[in-house]
Amino acid sequence: MKRRRTVRESASIEPPPGYYVAGAELPDAAQRTLILDWVVSRRIAGGWRVESRSGSQVVLVRGQPVNHVLHAFLTVFSCLVWGIVWAGVALVNRVERVALTVDAQGRIVTVSAP
């Protein structure tokens, strides 16, 4: 069985040096957009996908919802044997959402969503 590559969530999501000078003037809208783009690209590399995007906010999602119609169909035609697999998939599968926002100082604010 192949092991799945895991991405460390503890990696910093702060923008790289050079995007703006800390302590100087506040970043403008273009710089905040660049900061957000950089953070989103790092999250996409970690297996997340973009659900929605506005100027200074992105909602990212990871995981797939369970297709209950397909599993119900398979359960009926397998004389309820597939129900064990369906229950396991429904318990293990989770969909995660996170909203990333860039504030006026250029910092990333992360909010977990249900």
Side-chain angles (χ1 to χ4, degrees):
M1 193 160 127
K2 224 176 176 184
R3 289 187 65 187
R4 181 183 259 185
R5 192 182 101 182
T6 58
V7 177
R8 292 185 321 180
E9 289 292 327
S10 62
S12 172
I13 61 169
E14 290 300 316
Y19 268 74
Y20 64 94
V21 178
E25 61 189 46
L26 296 176
D28 61 357
Q31 288 173 322
R32 288 195 309 266
T33 302
L34 287 174
I35 293 167
L36 188 61
D37 288 343
W38 186 81
V39 172
V40 168
S41 68
R42 298 245 340 216
R43 288 288 180 111
I44 288 173
W48 293 82
R49 63 185 188 281
V50 176
E51 187 174 60
S52 67
R53 167 117 193 202
S54 68
S56 63
Q57 184 179 28
V58 174
V59 177
L60 300 171
V61 64
R62 178 169 54 180
Q64 294 288 335
V66 178
N67 187 347
H68 292 290
V69 174
L70 173 66
H71 287 287
F73 182 76
L74 292 173
T75 300
V76 168
F77 285 104
S78 68
C79 298
L80 304 178
V81 175
W82 190 259
I84 297 168
V85 174
W86 184 10
V89 168
L91 290 173
V92 173
N93 192 21
R94 298 285 181 241
V95 176
E96 298 175 77
R97 279 186 177 74
V98 65
L100 302 175
T101 306
V102 180
D103 64 4
Q105 287 80 29
R107 293 181 299 223
I108 301 295
V109 178
T110 304
V111 177
S112 296

